[in-house]
Amino acid sequence: MSTALRPSACPGLLRIVQALDGGICRIKLNGGAISADQADAVADAAERFASGAIEATNRANLQIRGIGEQSAALIDSLLAAGLGPRTAAGDDVRNLMLSPTAGIDRHMCVDTRALAEQILDTLQSHPRFHELSAKFAVQLDGGEALAMLEHPHDVWLSACERDGETLLAFGLAGCPTDPAVGAVALENGHALVVAVLELFLERARPEQTRIRHLLDELPMLAFLEQLSERLPVQAISDWQRTAATDALHIGVHPQNTNNRVYIGAVPPLGRLNPSMLRGAAQLARQFGDGSLRFTPWQSLLLVNVKTSAVAQVLEGLKPLNLLTEATEPLSRMIACTGSNGCSKGLADTKQDARLLATMMSQPQSVHLSGCPRSCAAAHCAPTTMLAVSPGHYDLYFRDAALPGFGALHARNLTIEAAATLLDARSRSPLDA
């Protein structure tokens, strides 16, 4: 496979991007899924050709960090495991997010996996779509209870029921919790994505790399009118998804098949080593369906586990340091690479997060970011600590009326001071 790629700051499988701790290779997983054998191949590649650091990303992909001079051998080993794109130019645009429980969720309206495969095939095989930005992203959910609904996407589609018919509501430059701008019949889902992308590429100037840039000057209604000339679009302005239930990606949850569950496990702060990944893969072979599903919460699921095997799986995850209880402080925290691996990081965020977890009396959802780019979180977390210097952070609380991290609450806090403040706030009846 040719590796002649356009320049980009985004790593891919075929494009190793340099960081302070070495090269980064991003492995895009179709729908977040990976077979146990492929997981072993990732573990082997990280161990043989890099530092051994493996990251679960907030788009349900994997990254290998600390790659040195053996980058070509690493890429070849991952391609041999079937983890690459169908064409080299198609790697950048394989940005389709599914629910981690697609096909098995008890609340889903439709199994989206076949449609997702069709969309991914088109993104990779149509040369025109290779012009899209490496950050251009599509989301598809089938109405599952476990779905990341807060990450902005260029195009999102969400299954819903209307008058006995299953439709795909959709929106542009936003999230499924925003009001939908229209809907199409289920069988037109693929055609909708193609039409939106073609219309965007026809109308956008080169510097307008995302749909939100085009919509800054082309009114939404005008875009929808042009879209309606290409396929039937229905009005569905009064529909939007409600936020997902918290912590469905952690622990044991029933599937839509009797006597089957999925088990969510969180690698602390999204970081795995080869032994952790191999161990999870072996549990998937022994007790699941031989696959793992990664999630936008930087965690993984073992799916299709018999209820009779739950205790054995949970016992097997413990020595791997994969967390399965939402009461464990590190299961609710996210942190970017930080100054240990990124030249832009102003603090060692992962080490600071571990310290913070030992100081708080109860688990809280906290995001530590080494700089304003917020690489670890594509959505606004309830609490964000933004590094200003080693061991010191500005503290923000999410506010729907404010952009970015939300409302600035305190400046230049030490980890100890942040822990004290967060504990006090969690006990306040005003914040219950």
Side-chain angles (χ1 to χ4, degrees), residues 45-391:
E47 195 168 61
R48 294 176 61 198
F49 308 121
S51 67
I54 304 164
E55 292 178 328
T57 78
N58 61 35
R59 288 200 56 82
N61 294 316
L62 289 173
Q63 289 184 166
I64 295 176
R65 300 190 69 94
I67 302 166
E69 297 178 356
Q70 293 182 286
S71 59
L74 177 138
I75 291 170
D76 287 345
S77 72
L78 296 173
L79 289 174
L83 289 165
R86 296 186 181 178
T87 61
D91 193 32
D92 276 347
V93 296
R94 293 193 292 159
N95 302 324
L96 174 63
M97 182 182 286
L98 288 189
S99 159
T101 51
I104 63 170
D105 196 292
R106 292 191 303 161
H107 299 274
M108 71 182 192
C109 300
V110 65
D111 186 343
T112 57
R113 290 175 293 180
L115 175 57
E117 187 175 342
Q118 193 179 13
I119 294 170
L120 277 168
D121 180 61
T122 297
L123 286 170
Q124 295 180 79
S125 59
H126 282 42
R128 182 75 196 280
F129 294 155
H130 299 166
E131 300 171 25
L132 293 167
S133 162
K135 294 184 180 297
F136 196 99
V138 180
Q139 179 173 10
L140 171 63
D141 82 77
E144 299 90 352
L146 181 58
M148 171 52 78
L149 303 177
E150 296 185 299
H151 286 192
H153 283 74
D154 292 276
V155 191
W156 60 261
L157 299 84
S158 187
C160 62
E161 300 285 348
R162 275 296 167 95
D163 300 323
E165 182 184 7
T166 301
L167 301 175
L168 286 170
F170 71 92
L172 305 173
C175 309
T177 50
D178 299 330
V181 299
V184 296
L186 188 59
E187 60 268 23
N188 286 335
H190 176 257
L192 171 70
V193 173
V194 170
V196 169
L197 268 54
E198 288 180 343
L199 182 55
F200 168 74
L201 288 169
E202 290 167 14
R203 295 300 305 268
R205 299 190 303 275
E207 66 271 20
Q208 294 173 319
T209 58
R210 309 293 295 275
I211 282 188
R212 68 174 185 270
H213 301 149
L214 177 61
L215 294 178
D216 283 342
E217 64 180 44
L218 178 67
M220 178 72 80
L221 283 177
F223 190 98
L224 292 174
E225 285 176 5
Q226 295 177 36
L227 188 64
S228 297
E229 295 172 2
R230 304 180 185 220
L231 80 165
V233 175
Q234 303 179 32
I236 189 171
S237 58
D238 60 339
W239 184 90
Q240 64 188 103
R241 276 209 63 167
T242 54
T245 303
D246 191 30
L248 285 177
H249 64 288
I250 307 173
V252 182
H253 300 277
Q255 296 183 184
N256 58 359
T257 304
N258 287 338
N259 301 316
R260 290 290 187 278
V261 300
Y262 72 84
I263 300 175
V266 181
L269 305 176
R271 183 68 66 89
L272 302 103
N273 60 38
S275 295
M276 293 167 74
L277 188 53
R278 288 194 192 101
Q282 183 53 35
L283 289 171
R285 286 189 191 93
Q286 188 174 354
F287 299 107
D289 65 1
S291 73
L292 299 171
R293 299 191 188 187
F294 283 85
T295 85
W297 292 270
Q298 295 168 271
S299 62
L300 61 88
L301 307 183
L302 287 90
V303 300
N304 292 311
V305 176
K306 291 181 180 180
T307 53
S308 58
V310 166
Q312 291 170 279
V313 175
L314 292 175
E315 196 61 31
L317 290 168
K318 283 181 184 177
L320 300 176
N321 196 28
L322 288 166
L323 311 177
T324 58
E325 297 285 347
T327 54
E328 297 172 280
L330 280 176
S331 72
R332 306 288 291 273
M333 289 187 179
I334 51 177
C336 67
T337 299
S339 58
N340 191 45
C342 176
S343 60
K344 291 183 169 59
L346 298 179
D348 188 345
T349 50
K350 290 198 184 295
Q351 183 57 38
D352 289 342
R354 291 186 183 93
L355 179 60
L356 181 66
T358 67
M359 295 179 172
M360 294 196 304
S361 61
Q362 58 184 332
Q364 295 188 48
S365 296
V366 183
H367 163 218
L368 286 80
S369 188
C371 79
R373 295 186 305 161
S374 187
C375 292
H379 65 289
C380 182
T383 300
T384 294
M385 293 171 55
L386 177 63
V388 292
S389 65

Side-chain angles (χ1 to χ4, degrees), residues 397-404 406-407:
F397 294 125
R398 180 162 57 190
D399 187 328
L402 295 175

